[in-house]
Amino acid sequence: MEILMIFVAGIIISVSVYLVLSKSLIRIIIGTTLLSHGVHLMLLTMGGLKKGALPIETEGIKNYVDPLPQALILTAIVIAFAVTAFFLVLAFRSYKELGTDNLEEMKEVPKDE
Amino acid sequence: MSLMHIMVLLPLIFAVIIPIFYRFYKKIHLGWFVLPIPIIIFSYFMSYINVPDSDKPFIVIWEFMPRLGMNFAVHLDGLSLLFASLISGIGALVVLYSITYLSKNESLGNFYCYLLMFMGAMLGVVLSDNLLMLYLFWELTSISSFLLIGYWRHKKSSIYGAQKSLLITVFGGLMLLGGFISLSIAGNSWSITSLIQNAETIQKSPLFILAMVLVLIGAMTKSAQFPFHIWLPDAMEAPTPVSAYLHSATMVKAGIYLVARTTPIFAINGGFVWTVTAIGLVTLFWASFNAVKQQDLKGILAFSTISQLGMIMSMLGIGAVSYHYTGEESQLFLASIIAAVFHLINHATFKGALFMITGTIDHEVGTRDIKKLGGLMTIMPISCTFTIIAALSMAGVPPFNGFLSKELFLTAMFDSHKAGVFNLSTLGFLLPVIAVVGSIFTFVYSFKYVHEIFFGEYKADQLPKKPHEAPKLMLLPTGILISLVVIFGLFPNILSNSIIAPAVRAIAPYAESPEVHISFWHGITPALMGTLIVFIVGFVLFKSVSKWIKVYAYQPEYLTFNYYYDRGIYLSSYISNKITQSYMTGFIRSYLMYIFSFFIIMTALTIFTHPVSIAFDHISEIRPYEVILMGLILVSTFCIVLAKSRLFSIIMLAAVGYSVALFFVLFGAPDLALTQLSIETISTALFLLCFFHLPKMNRHDEDRKFKIGNFLIAICVGISVITIGLIAYGNRHFDSISKYYIDNVYDLAAGKNMVNVILVDFRGFDTLFESAVLGIAGLGIYTLIKLRDNNKNGGNENEETIE
């Protein structure tokens, strides 16, 4: 199970890298979002996918799923969301200001009129 | 802290005070206020003149940075005393000279601040017993010299000269620091005195050669020795008092001081003897040869200084041979050290005087170009007399002091073959030949110098000013130096026991007490023959100089060291510019490529260079739900890449996000699933909102090559991630620490939801700053949307308004 998950996470990361390397701003943002998904899955997998009870204390159960990676992922999700939201607005603003979403055209500092 | 420390620091303290003083008091020339400082220092050091004679070096230590071993230890022996009196004595004369040379319109505050800084630094160099302090003062001389050369900073040539001298001397200075560090490691001390006492330990150390080479590079760059001499002629852009002080009498002798100081340590090595001697002689020859072709008076003097420094250097080299002998033979080579010390003093006197005369001529006539000068003898009779004495002394003509030291020099060179070490007896015959040839050219340029200024045709129409004799105040310091030239020439032995002998003892502590007796007439020796050859050939060459001066034209430009220096400076900036431009493309994609490639290469290297073992003991079984979900995720992921429409790719992204939430459900993470679901919904909404305004999905004509490059990198990153994941998962060394959380979640934190308790209780700080991140992102989005540059509407560029 874990091996399969590692492969899935790896493929997601691989695809996100491909997207991040492209010229279009939209694809790059999609790439970063996808990257965070891949990383979260990887985190979860590394904590071990063993069967156990939900991490909520219940009488008589000793075997729980590891709660620590879940707490880490929860933090990571929120941060990734904050960054994605900021990126999106930044992309929106830069498109309005620069008139392009092509990274190759963004190289030069825009001249003041 | 003692009076001696105060004397070293006095110029530095006044370097701070003087410019302040200058701001408020402008009526009297600032030089008058500076003048007492070197005089005080000079008289202070003169009071020690008989102390070093008792063979007990005088050391006072002021703990400065004791843990680093960096103590301000002042060490006064014969050598230091000689240099300290040169520095303060000539310093006083130069200050006196500068009072008339520099008008009140110049920025005198700067000038005297730099000059005092230099004086203090130079005193520090020659009096420091601590290597680190010596290095500190050494670099301070480079910096103050840089400031003084660039004193007229509106001139391009000043800036060029200052930069060149700084680059070369600081290069040498850094080498020197390396040499000092190796020395201190080898001898386990920072103190020069104890290093000399432990010389044998250092000589056995494997760091010995390294230390020697580095120290020599430092000394050679500072003393303008071949091939580092190129900075000195360009340093002539400095005001003439500076050239007289720094670039003839003091700073350029710092390297000589260093070689002399380290002679007791390094003299055992044949490389030291040969390097110092050979470089000295090559410098002597090359610079005196080049001095003849110079058109600028200061240019002649610069090359002459280089050549005389080479001469002193070569004498020190031969003198080091005395280390290997005792008794009479030792005295034979010790004579070479005596000659070096004697010539050091002589050179300071006549070269200082010559520079001052040059400055006077520049000041009174307005040019230093020998083509325009001539026939000034009747107009400037006193200057003419002074010049003739100084130039004859430089040429080595009796009865002036230059003759005596030149005789001693030739004697030392002729005697060098008597040494039975380091092949001096076989190869040594070359030394006197080069020495004589160098001296011939010295003779030629000295005569030419006098001839071009004072004799020949008077070209009144070419001179910018109407020449007249210099003011008395300007002639006074020159006159003092000239009288010293004559006095040392006629009565050389007044120096021998008070100054020269202690200095020689400091350079060669291993030798028995040297007998310093300088006399005019040694009988008919090879040196005298050499001198006769110098006079005869020199005179013939001088008379026919207009015929053979053409030979200099044959030296192509690309064979000069200046050419290589300039090319080197140009190329280093050109190449570094090219290199930077080649990888700093300005495209974010390139930088991402570098980052990803580095990641891939590092992963590959680590994996291939380390044994990898993967053992899967804790694998859970594969269940159908998860496999289906994986398929779903992969399909939607690939759909994003292939999507042509932006809406489709957003929906596919959302599909990935919801599938991840489902994974969280399947793997027992209800909180994660909740958060993921809600956040995925919000971000999809945001994406849609933003994409409404963004243009249609455009691939911007990504060609096949572009895609293949990205594809390869993406695949490699994926493989790396998967490999790392597999290896990490397959090599578990410790159990999870989660056991503690699971056991104590209710007892310690009074909660049953473990994830929530970890978030707000066990690891609450993470959550605090995660909220901060969210808050900052919110603020950032607000400012991005609300604040904007309204200069498009003709408003102020810096003013931002909230709409």
Side-chain angles (χ1 to χ4, degrees):
Chain A
M1 189 80 239
E2 278 85 354
I3 300 176
L4 278 182
M5 277 300 282
I6 288 171
F7 271 93
V8 170
I11 290 167
I12 293 178
I13 289 173
S14 182
V15 168
S16 67
V17 166
Y18 182 78
L19 286 172
V20 162
L21 286 172
S22 59
K23 284 179 187 172
S24 153
L25 204 54
I26 305 168
R27 281 168 77 87
I28 289 176
I29 297 173
I30 293 176
T32 53
T33 317
L34 204 55
L35 185 68
S36 63
H37 286 321
V39 172
H40 297 158
L41 281 183
M42 197 64 131
L43 260 175
L44 192 73
T45 315
M46 287 291 133
L49 297 177
K50 263 177 292 177
K51 225 25 205 153
L54 297 183
I56 294 166
E57 189 158 280
T58 329
E59 288 287 329
I61 295 179
K62 280 277 147 210
N63 189 21
Y64 295 99
V65 171
D66 194 343
L68 195 56
Q70 296 194 8
L72 296 182
I73 295 169
L74 197 60
T75 313
I77 288 176
V78 176
I79 292 174
F81 166 69
V83 173
T84 308
F86 184 77
F87 273 1
L88 273 172
V89 177
L90 189 64
F92 162 70
R93 286 289 302 146
S94 63
Y95 176 67
K96 286 274 153 183
E97 290 289 321
L98 305 172
T100 179
D101 71 329
N102 185 353
L103 280 180
E104 310 266 290
E105 290 169 15
M106 288 186 187
K107 188 185 163 191
E108 278 158 39
V109 180
K111 285 184 193 114
D112 286 334
E113 283 135 53
Chain B
M1 190 159 179
S2 70
L3 194 58
M4 191 88 85
H5 288 118
I6 296 173
M7 283 300 156
V8 176
L9 295 178
L10 195 66
L12 294 177
I13 297 166
F14 271 84
V16 179
I17 298 173
I18 282 291
I20 302 169
F21 196 77
Y22 178 62
R23 276 186 81 87
F24 298 107
Y25 203 82
K26 294 202 174 175
K27 273 185 196 156
I28 298 175
H29 196 283
L30 192 63
W32 291 114
F33 299 105
V34 179
L35 187 59
I37 301 163
I39 293 179
I40 291 170
I41 299 171
F42 182 70
S43 17
Y44 175 78
F45 282 113
M46 277 298 121
S47 72
Y48 278 91
I49 198 146
N50 285 317
V51 177
D53 212 20
S54 64
D55 265 342
K56 264 191 209 155
F58 185 93
I59 299 186
V60 275
I61 295 173
W62 176 23
E63 297 270 306
F64 179 48
M65 291 188 196
R67 282 200 195 172
L68 284 179
M70 187 171 180
N71 296 317
F72 191 6
V74 171
H75 162 264
L76 191 73
D77 62 0
L79 188 63
S80 305
L81 184 72
L82 162 67
F83 272 93
S85 21
L86 269 184
I87 292 158
S88 49
I90 296 194
L93 296 176
V94 161
V95 171
L96 184 63
Y97 178 80
S98 67
I99 291 172
T100 27
Y101 184 82
L102 289 175
S103 79
K104 279 200 212 167
N105 300 331
E106 306 272 3
S107 46
L108 294 174
N110 290 356
F111 180 78
Y112 287 108
C113 173
Y114 303 156
L115 197 73
L116 285 171
M117 208 161 100
F118 171 77
M119 196 185 286
M122 203 58 214
L123 283 172
V125 166
V126 298
L127 289 164
S128 285
D129 185 46
N130 188 288
L131 287 178
L132 287 173
M133 281 311 270
L134 202 162
Y135 174 71
L136 185 80
F137 285 119
W138 185 276
E139 291 298 25
L140 193 55
T141 61
S142 297
I143 292 166
S144 48
S145 162
F146 166 79
L147 290 169
L148 283 166
I149 298 169
Y151 177 64
W152 287 312
R153 53 179 171 271
H154 54 272
K155 286 204 294 186
K156 234 180 180 173
S157 50
S158 291
I159 301 296
Y160 172 77
Q163 187 204 35
K164 192 173 185 178
S165 77
L166 189 75
L167 283 176
I168 293 178
T169 52
V170 168
F171 160 75
L174 287 173
M175 296 288 137
L176 186 68
L177 180 62
F180 281 173
I181 291 170
S182 340
L183 260 187
S184 83
I185 293 170
N188 198 23
S189 167
W190 288 105
S191 154
I192 297 173
T193 342
S194 62
L195 284 175
I196 290 176
Q197 277 158 8
N198 289 334
E200 281 183 20
T201 349
I202 299 172
Q203 286 154 6
K204 282 177 200 137
S205 158
L207 284 172
F208 177 71
I209 298 290
L210 180 70
M212 187 183 86
V213 170
L214 291 178
V215 168
L216 276 182
I217 292 178
M220 297 301 168
T221 49
K222 197 72 159 185
S223 280
Q225 296 296 293
F226 190 86
F228 303 115
H229 62 276
I230 50 169
W231 66 267
L232 191 63
D234 285 303
M236 291 301 132
E237 292 300 330
T240 304
V242 172
S243 310
Y245 189 38
L246 275 70
H247 306 124
S248 76
T250 54
M251 186 176 89
V252 286
K253 290 190 173 128
I256 288 184
Y257 169 79
L258 200 68
V259 169
R261 185 52 93 199
T262 51
T263 294
I265 301 173
F266 295 136
I268 191 172
N269 189 287
F272 179 79
V273 174
W274 266 110
T275 314
V276 175
T277 314
I279 289 186
L281 281 176
V282 169
T283 313
L284 165 67
F285 166 72
W286 183 247
S288 63
F289 178 68
N290 273 298
V292 181
K293 74 168 173 184
Q294 299 302 315
Q295 297 295 314
D296 178 30
L297 292 181
K298 279 175 99 176
I300 299 179
L301 292 182
F303 276 99
S304 146
T305 304
I306 298 168
S307 118
Q308 306 274 326
L309 290 169
M311 177 173 155
I312 301 174
M313 218 39 124
S314 66
M315 287 190 270
L316 285 175
I318 292 295
V321 177
S322 66
Y323 186 88
H324 299 270
Y325 292 96
T326 49
E328 207 167 303
E329 279 177 307
S330 177
Q331 291 294 328
L332 188 69
F333 296 107
L334 219 51
S336 182
I337 297 183
I338 297 170
V341 174
F342 189 47
H343 193 68
L344 187 82
I345 302 168
N346 294 341
H347 177 250
T349 54
F350 68 69
K351 193 52 63 63
L354 281 174
F355 267 110
M356 288 180 183
I357 292 161
T358 310
T360 311
I361 289 161
D362 194 7
H363 198 258
E364 303 307 327
V365 181
T367 180
R368 297 194 313 249
D369 190 346
I370 57 170
K371 278 188 185 150
K372 296 181 184 165
L373 292 164
L376 292 174
M377 183 168 62
T378 47
I379 300 161
M380 303 172 82
I382 306 173
S383 298
C384 177
T385 320
F386 286 172
T387 317
I388 290 173
I389 295 175
L392 288 183
S393 178
M394 180 158 78
V397 175
F400 306 110
N401 56 6
F403 168 69
L404 299 169
S405 43
K406 181 139 295 180
E407 279 291 272
L408 290 170
F409 166 63
L410 290 177
T411 314
M413 290 301 142
F414 278 111
D415 284 346
S416 63
H417 71 277
K418 291 182 187 164
V421 284
F422 316 136
N423 292 329
L424 270 175
S425 49
T426 46
L427 283 169
F429 73 93
L430 276 173
L431 304 185
V433 174
I434 302 172
V436 167
V437 174
S439 303
I440 291 171
F441 283 109
T442 309
F443 188 91
V444 174
Y445 71 70
S446 304
F447 271 65
K448 187 168 174 253
Y449 185 82
V450 179
H451 182 83
E452 298 289 344
I453 307 174
F454 295 105
F455 296 89
E457 184 193 348
Y458 175 53
K459 302 155 197 161
D461 50 329
Q462 292 194 19
L463 299 178
K465 289 184 188 172
K466 193 171 159 44
H468 52 79
E469 185 55 274
K472 288 195 185 68
L473 207 56
M474 216 168 202
L475 290 173
L476 177 66
T478 324
I480 295 173
L481 284 174
I482 291 296
S483 55
L484 286 178
V485 170
V486 178
I487 292 169
F488 293 161
L490 296 177
F491 312 104
N493 288 314
I494 55 163
L495 288 174
S496 57
N497 281 327
S498 53
I499 298 238
I500 297 179
V504 173
R505 270 203 293 279
I507 299 173
Y510 45 80
E512 291 116 71
S513 49
E515 297 156 28
V516 180
H517 185 78
I518 302 159
S519 58
F520 267 105
W521 182 250
H522 296 277
I524 298 175
T525 55
L528 191 69
M529 294 295 134
T531 311
L532 280 179
I533 295 173
V534 169
F535 287 174
I536 296 164
V537 179
F539 194 72
V540 171
L541 279 182
F542 164 67
K543 277 289 163 196
S544 58
V545 71
S546 55
K547 294 196 182 70
W548 58 271
I549 196 105
K550 286 183 220 116
V551 298
Y552 292 107
Y554 290 114
Q555 190 195 16
E557 200 215 0
Y558 58 82
L559 274 183
T560 58
F561 289 99
N562 263 332
Y563 175 79
Y564 287 109
Y565 169 82
D566 291 336
R567 286 298 290 175
I569 294 290
Y570 170 73
L571 279 179
S572 61
S573 74
Y574 176 78
I575 291 171
S576 64
N577 201 4
K578 277 277 159 202
I579 292 174
T580 314
Q581 274 179 359
S582 69
Y583 71 89
M584 299 298 285
T585 53
F587 297 119
I588 194 165
R589 184 169 165 268
S590 316
Y591 308 141
L592 284 172
M593 290 282 222
Y594 305 149
I595 295 170
F596 288 132
S597 316
F598 183 77
F599 172 70
I600 295 162
I601 292 167
M602 278 301 135
T603 318
L605 274 181
T606 325
I607 288 169
F608 288 127
T609 51
H610 291 78
V612 177
S613 65
I614 307 179
F616 294 105
D617 306 331
H618 313 282
I619 295 185
S620 49
E621 90 256 39
I622 300 172
R623 290 173 305 175
Y625 289 124
E626 280 95 338
V627 176
I628 293 168
L629 209 49
M630 281 173 196
L632 205 59
I633 282 197
L634 290 181
V635 168
S636 21
T637 309
F638 285 116
C639 283
I640 296 175
V641 186
L642 303 171
K644 291 261 188 300
S645 119
R646 55 187 173 162
L647 200 59
F648 185 53
S649 57
I650 295 166
I651 291 168
M652 282 301 123
L653 185 66
V656 174
Y658 289 126
S659 315
V660 170
L662 277 180
F663 262 122
F664 291 151
V665 172
L666 285 176
F667 290 127
D671 299 290
L672 285 188
L674 275 175
T675 320
Q676 180 67 30
L677 274 175
S678 46
I679 279 188
E680 197 53 46
T681 313
I682 300 173
S683 21
T684 309
L686 256 174
F687 265 102
L688 289 173
L689 202 67
C690 277
F691 280 28
F692 178 71
H693 296 280
L694 285 174
K696 283 226 164 60
M697 177 82 97
N698 188 352
R699 304 288 279 266
H700 298 293
D701 305 326
E702 294 171 358
D703 58 10
R704 188 177 287 268
K705 206 174 149 195
F706 183 90
K707 278 185 192 164
I708 289 174
N710 291 357
F711 183 72
L712 279 178
I713 289 214
I715 291 289
C716 289
V717 169
I719 291 171
S720 309
V721 168
I722 291 168
T723 325
I724 293 174
L726 289 176
I727 293 172
Y729 194 78
N731 292 278
R732 255 161 211 265
H733 298 290
F734 308 104
D735 284 336
S736 169
I737 53 166
S738 303
K739 191 91 182 65
Y740 174 81
Y741 296 131
I742 294 170
D743 290 345
N744 293 307
V745 68
Y746 192 72
D747 301 336
L748 289 181
K752 288 195 172 177
N753 185 333
M754 295 167 196
V755 176
N756 286 4
V757 169
I758 290 176
L759 280 175
V760 296
D761 196 316
F762 290 121
R763 299 180 57 87
F765 269 119
D766 287 358
T767 315
L768 175 64
F769 291 109
E770 163 204 336
S771 325
V773 168
L774 206 57
I776 291 167
L779 277 176
I781 290 168
Y782 178 79
T783 35
L784 265 183
I785 292 173
K786 281 293 179 187
L787 291 181
R788 43 189 81 181
D789 191 357
N790 68 341
N791 72 348
K792 278 179 190 161
N793 311 331
N796 188 348
E797 203 178 329
N798 300 318
E799 194 185 311
E800 289 183 338
T801 48
I802 298 173
E803 285 166 40

